[in-house]
Amino acid sequence: MNVVSDPVELIDADLSADLAAAALVLARRFTAGATLWAVSPQWEPHAHHIAVEFVHPVIMGKRALPSVALVDPDPVAQCRVAARRGDVIIAVAAADQPQVIDIMRRASAWGVDTIWIGHGARPEAGIANHTLWVRSDDPMVPATGRFVLMYHLLWELTHVCFEHPGLMTVKEPECTDEVCVTCSDEGRLVEVILPPVTVMDEALVRTATGEEFVDVTVIDDVEVNDLLLVHGGAAITRLDEDM
């Protein structure tokens, strides 16, 4: 007697919506000249596969999209050096992978968007711009092809977006008297490039819009690669690893 098990829903409605949103952003970034950087410290072949998937125009007439696998033992340092403002970092990793967590928390200071593919327990809400997650605790999921299916669909949907040029441009929000990031209470995440030489000097930091100097007199012992929250040109706190 044959027992037929219930079919597995590989892509549910929520994941479909997440894939579509990520593909649209990715298409817009590629149109603006972005590079896609792929990392997967636990499952390196996925990083290579993603890079090949996007850079190789397997279908006649499709664009070859700039994509690179970063497989150095220190992917955080690699991303820091490689990624430019407007690029995208895509990670395939479990929610507790420390290097990917660090990349995601620094990405906004680098001015890059992030996509995180994984399964099981989800990462902290909002840590990545787009989270593409499989609802399964099966440890074999990374080897079953479900991740491959996701980034294949991401590639295909990205090219679908290219077919609608009107979607490729986004009007930049204008500064108004009602809400303005510069003069509101909103803080900006920055990463220290060069700490101050003396207590009266400013620190050179990397921001989402470029490099600038900020006042760090209220922060003790600022070091290279520290993440700081800046408001009005002054650092108001340091973000620890668990923040």
Side-chain angles (χ1 to χ4, degrees), residues 33 99 101 221:
Q99 293 165 312
I101 292 173
D221 300 324

Side-chain angles (χ1 to χ4, degrees), residues 8-136:
V8 176
E9 187 177 30
L10 298 179
I11 306 292
D12 60 24
D14 290 340
L15 183 51
S16 296
D18 292 339
L19 277 164
L24 177 57
V25 169
L26 196 50
R28 287 172 172 171
R29 291 289 179 263
F30 278 131
T31 299
T35 296
L36 178 66
W37 305 96
V39 298
S40 185
Q42 295 164 289
W43 310 300
E44 186 177 304
H46 283 301
H48 289 293
H49 195 158
I50 290 172
V52 171
E53 186 70 21
F54 279 85
V55 81
H56 178 47
V58 66
I59 299 177
M60 184 176 296
K62 299 299 182 182
R63 295 170 50 185
L65 302 171
S67 181
V68 181
L70 300 179
V71 294
D72 188 85
D74 187 352
V76 181
Q78 266 199 312
C79 287
R80 178 182 291 114
V81 172
R84 304 165 302 164
R85 177 189 176 191
D87 284 350
V88 181
I89 297 173
I90 184 169
V92 182
D96 60 355
Q97 212 293 321
Q99 293 165 312
V100 170
I101 292 173
D102 202 21
I103 290 169
M104 296 296 165
R105 64 194 291 268
R106 294 176 183 275
S108 64
W110 300 340
V112 304
D113 279 340
T114 52
I115 302 170
W116 195 342
I117 294 174
H119 75 107
R122 292 180 70 92
E124 178 184 343
I127 191 170
N129 295 110
H130 301 278
T131 305
L132 309 178
W133 223 250
V134 174
R135 295 179 180 178
S136 173

Side-chain angles (χ1 to χ4, degrees), residues 173-186:
E174 297 180 358
C175 181
T176 67
D177 292 335
E178 295 179 358
V179 178
C180 178
V181 172
T182 302
C183 50
S184 70
D185 288 331
E186 184 174 342

Side-chain angles (χ1 to χ4, degrees), residues 148-168:
V148 176
L149 173 62
M150 273 200 283
Y151 49 75
H152 273 243
L153 287 172
L154 186 62
W155 176 85
E156 292 186 23
L157 290 170
T158 298
H159 282 280
V160 169
C161 292
F162 288 145
E163 297 172 2
H164 302 273
L167 295 176
M168 294 301 99

